[in-house]
Amino acid sequence: GLALMTNALAYLGGTVLCRRLLRRLTLRRTVAWAGALSLAGGLLMALPVLAGWNHGGLMLLAQCLFMMGHGIHQPCGQTGAVGPFPQAAGMASALNGLMMMLAAFAMGQWLGAHLDGSTRPLALGLGFWALLTALCAWTVVRWQEDHGAA
């Protein structure tokens, strides 16, 4: 229960940080910061597990960093998905939610198929998504903003 609460607080902290960052930085730079948090969390979880070292406290810290990044990515991503379509904001929001849930379902299926009693599947899954999230934050979001889409 304490770990779940800590994750929820990290996410909420990320949303508060998002508001503060957006006041001072551009959307691109805010998302870039979130990408760094996500990647730090993913690497902090995956690398020790790959080295054969499992520590619950380190994994919780890694998960919290990832969730803080997610607390920044989520509102920025929702804005990016809905903003260009003000006449169809409800549909854009629903499609964005659908895509997130499909990705979560696919990841859950992969994770379930690879459970082996260790923390390895969780660590590698989180590390993979952290890397992909950071790469998108530092490339796709930048490209979108440069081309007037964000």
Side-chain angles (χ1 to χ4, degrees):
L2 184 59
L4 289 175
M5 182 188 71
T6 305
N7 270 294
L9 290 175
Y11 177 80
L12 290 172
T15 62
V16 170
L17 181 59
C18 180
R19 284 183 57 179
R20 291 184 180 172
L21 289 172
L22 285 172
R23 285 186 196 138
R24 295 183 189 148
L25 307 173
T26 63
L27 177 67
R28 178 197 303 181
R29 291 188 63 201
T30 298
V31 172
W33 272 98
L37 281 170
S38 297
L39 186 59
L43 291 176
L44 190 60
M45 186 173 290
L47 293 178
V49 168
L50 285 173
W53 191 59
N54 292 310
H55 188 273
L58 186 60
M59 291 189 77
L60 182 59
L61 174 62
Q63 180 68 27
C64 285
L65 285 172
F66 183 82
M67 288 305 293
M68 185 170 278
H70 185 60
I72 299 170
H73 287 299
Q74 179 62 29
C76 292
Q78 186 71 10
T79 299
V82 174
F85 310 103
Q87 72 285 359
M91 177 70 78
S93 177
L95 286 173
N96 186 44
L98 172 68
M99 297 307 291
M100 283 191 298
M101 292 306 104
L102 288 174
F105 175 77
M107 183 59 197
Q109 293 298 305
W110 179 88
L111 190 59
H114 291 85
L115 288 178
D116 61 3
S118 75
T119 57
R120 192 176 180 92
L122 172 66
L124 295 181
L126 188 103
F128 169 78
W129 287 109
L131 179 62
L132 191 62
T133 300
L135 288 174
C136 286
W138 299 332
T139 60
V140 176
V141 172
R142 181 181 195 140
W143 184 87
Q144 291 282 324
E145 190 173 67
D146 287 347
H147 291 85

